[in-house]
Amino acid sequence: MPTKSTFSTHRTHIAGVPVPELARRFGTPSYIYDAAKIVERVNDLKQFEVVRYAQKACSNIAILDLVRRHGVLVDAVSAGEIRRALAAGYPLHPAKHGDPHPIVYTADIFDRESLSLVVEQDIHCNCGSPDMIDQLGEAAPGREITLRINPGFGHGHSQKTNTGGEQSKHGIWHEQLADALRRADHRGLAVTGLHLHIGSGTDLEHLSQVCGAMERLAREVGRSLTTISAGGGLPVPYRAEQNYVDIDVYYKLWDASRKRLEDAFGHRLTLELEPGRYLVAESGYLVAEIRAVKKMGGNTFYVVDAGFNNLARPILYGAYHPMSICPADGSSAADRPTHDVVIGGPLCESGDIFTQEEGGFVATRKLPAAGVGDYLVIEVAGAYGAVMASNYNSKPLAAEVLIADGNAEPIRARQTFEDLIRGERIP
Ligand SMILES: *Cc1c(COP(=O)(O)O)cnc(C)c1O
């Protein structure tokens, strides 16, 4: 696996296909995914015996099908995500008794729909609140469950992606584990799994703190455990100077914890990893067309046809995405002079800026000179991109395209106006 990332501000192709050809065939804005990149990331993690994709990062059924064919299992956080997993060919139950569950439902609540679905279909549940234990136990006593514990600390690339500590709503508070175990006992549920996930886009140092917490908590649960899950949170580089985490070091830390617990329990434990971002972020490109170039005092704006309705990470977290320019004729922008520009979208909302920092401060980006008709490619956009899209300003959801072996296939049609108003009526 690579150690350092590199990004360029000029680009002519995505996964071997010319950008203007993609724009002509599928329109703009469109999400383009490079299948080979996803497979490469799956292979980085092959030391972990179970890789369970947190599909909320990018849940198109073609992406789910791709990771499924490469041996990856799946996590679902809603009834809709369970149905997506089934639509993508995941089986309800393991082929052999004792094999890991193909689909796990992880959440802090059961809404009424998800509770009936997991009960009817016998989906394994990772319970993130004491109430979930009670509700599942009442509806389906005798099941095996996993507990998601908030270890009392967390970390994330933004406060909004921190999923541990007192300010997080996620998981069962670590000091209430004994109470959770009593509730499970009382309802006839066997606790076979323990799960910790402290945040998204955290660094190795923070991720490894979780191992110690897992060992302590797992000993408290005891010998009923057969699976421990390290959660997700593996970061990817979004800027040129950022490094990849050392997966080998990370695996060894977890494997050592697992082995100590196996010795204590006298039986094997399955170690799961639950990445979302890591598998898909770098595969995704949001291709937009520059539709206006204007000066506002000292600032030059490139205004493109994609907005935060397509990619919300900048407005939500001040997230930084690498960007590149592809001239309309498909030539290279490498020889063009570069300028500091602001990239804005089409929405009637001043926060619709792709070059912003946390807190909404407008920043500039050094990009090759470009004009109307040239393409802006927003990169590393595969995770928490298309899935967070909205219809704000009555913009249709963008097309999604998967490129494998040089072939670009549509995996989601751009919404039509009829799609937009489906379900609305004038009484
Ligand atoms: C979001 C989430 C993940 C994936 O997080 P990434 O940072 O995308 O790896 C894993 N597990 C759970 C429970 C999650 O909610």
Side-chain angles (χ1 to χ4, degrees):
M1 62 165 288
T3 53
K4 274 231 192 283
S5 57
T6 50
F7 297 110
S8 165
T9 56
H10 51 88
R11 147 178 308 280
T12 55
H13 291 68
I14 296 174
V17 183
V19 173
E21 182 185 318
L22 292 165
R24 263 194 309 278
R25 275 185 66 194
F26 304 105
T28 56
S30 285
Y31 269 99
I32 315 291
Y33 304 99
D34 176 356
K37 201 56 132 184
I38 296 175
V39 173
E40 200 180 296
R41 290 293 162 264
V42 168
N43 289 334
D44 291 346
L45 304 178
K46 60 179 175 294
Q47 288 181 94
F48 288 84
E49 50 185 310
V50 176
V51 175
R52 184 176 297 287
Y53 176 44
Q55 65 168 292
K56 74 176 195 279
C58 184
S59 55
N60 186 295
I61 58 172
I63 303 293
L64 297 184
D65 169 69
L66 175 67
V67 299
R68 182 185 58 74
R69 286 187 284 108
H70 287 83
V72 173
L73 305 183
V74 72
D75 189 64
V77 299
S78 65
E81 286 196 353
I82 293 173
R83 295 207 165 95
R84 281 183 177 278
L86 295 172
Y90 278 97
L92 275 170
H93 302 293
K96 285 203 319 283
H97 181 74
D99 277 356
H101 305 280
I103 306 170
V104 169
Y105 174 82
T106 297
D108 298 303
I109 64 156
F110 287 116
D111 53 36
R112 295 188 186 270
E113 187 192 5
S114 58
L115 183 58
S116 26
L117 189 61
V118 301
V119 169
E120 265 162 39
Q121 306 289 356
D122 194 13
I123 303 274
H124 186 82
C125 295
N126 178 5
C127 299
S129 62
D131 291 298
M132 281 181 77
I133 302 172
D134 294 343
Q135 291 160 11
L136 184 68
E138 192 161 315
R143 292 263 178 104
E144 298 185 343
I145 57 168
T146 292
L147 298 181
R148 176 178 183 175
I149 305 296
N150 176 340
F153 59 86
H155 193 65
H157 66 74
S158 143
Q159 197 43 43
K160 292 176 190 157
T161 63
N162 180 342
T163 63
E166 274 182 22
Q167 299 192 13
S168 166
K169 66 177 176 133
H170 294 294
I172 295 169
W173 187 245
H174 60 115
E175 290 167 338
Q176 289 170 9
L177 176 56
D179 172 62
L181 293 172
R182 270 192 299 276
R183 284 177 194 244
D185 244 12
H186 177 65
R187 302 285 185 177
L189 300 172
V191 178
T192 56
L194 201 58
H195 171 274
L196 297 180
H197 171 76
I198 61 161
S200 274
T202 60
D203 52 56
L204 191 54
E205 198 179 313
H206 286 96
L207 286 168
S208 14
Q209 286 178 359
V210 178
C211 296
M214 175 63 85
E215 282 187 53
R216 182 171 55 77
L217 293 161
R219 285 170 201 273
E220 198 176 332
V221 177
R223 297 192 62 247
S224 65
L225 283 182
T226 57
T227 304
I228 56 174
S229 171
L234 286 180
V236 299
Y238 284 90
R239 295 176 192 257
E241 67 272 24
Q242 290 173 333
N243 292 327
Y244 285 88
V245 289
D246 189 330
I247 300 289
D248 214 44
V249 169
Y250 186 54
Y251 173 75
K252 288 195 171 101
L253 285 168
W254 271 104
D255 192 42
S257 292
R258 179 242 306 259
K259 286 190 173 123
R260 281 190 290 270
L261 289 169
E262 284 180 341
D263 287 345
F265 295 158
H267 63 239
R268 288 205 61 243
L269 283 176
T270 304
L271 172 60
E272 294 202 356
L273 187 67
E274 203 177 60
R277 181 189 317 280
Y278 189 79
L279 297 187
V280 292
E282 295 158 292
S283 77
Y285 302 80
L286 176 57
V287 176
E289 188 186 336
I290 297 173
R291 298 299 305 155
V293 176
K294 53 183 183 174
K295 283 246 181 232
M296 301 288 194
N299 281 329
T300 301
F301 282 72
Y302 291 174
V303 190
V304 301
D305 59 4
F308 72 71
N309 56 310
N310 301 113
L311 177 65
R313 297 187 72 252
I315 195 170
L316 278 177
Y317 317 120
Y320 179 102
H321 283 269
M323 294 180 196
S324 56
I325 295 288
C326 175
D329 63 4
S331 63
S332 170
D335 301 333
R336 295 188 177 185
T338 58
H339 300 295
D340 290 320
V341 294
V342 179
I343 306 294
L347 304 181
C348 291
E349 181 100 17
S350 54
D352 189 23
I353 297 288
F354 285 118
T355 48
Q356 64 179 291
E357 290 164 3
E358 197 154 12
F361 299 99
V362 171
T364 60
R365 186 70 60 90
K366 197 172 275 308
L367 287 176
V372 170
D374 290 338
Y375 300 106
L376 174 84
V377 183
I378 304 182
E379 310 199 354
V380 199
Y384 308 105
V387 286
M388 283 196 184
S390 77
N391 287 131
Y392 189 46
N393 280 205
S394 289
K395 295 281 189 180
L397 295 185
E400 291 178 86
V401 176
L402 182 64
I403 304 180
D405 303 321
N407 295 317
E409 289 284 349
I411 58 172
R412 179 190 181 103
R414 183 179 309 283
Q415 278 185 321
T416 63
F417 175 68
E418 287 66 35
D419 295 330
L420 266 186
I421 60 165
R422 175 159 303 136
E424 294 182 27
R425 62 186 278 274
I426 301 171

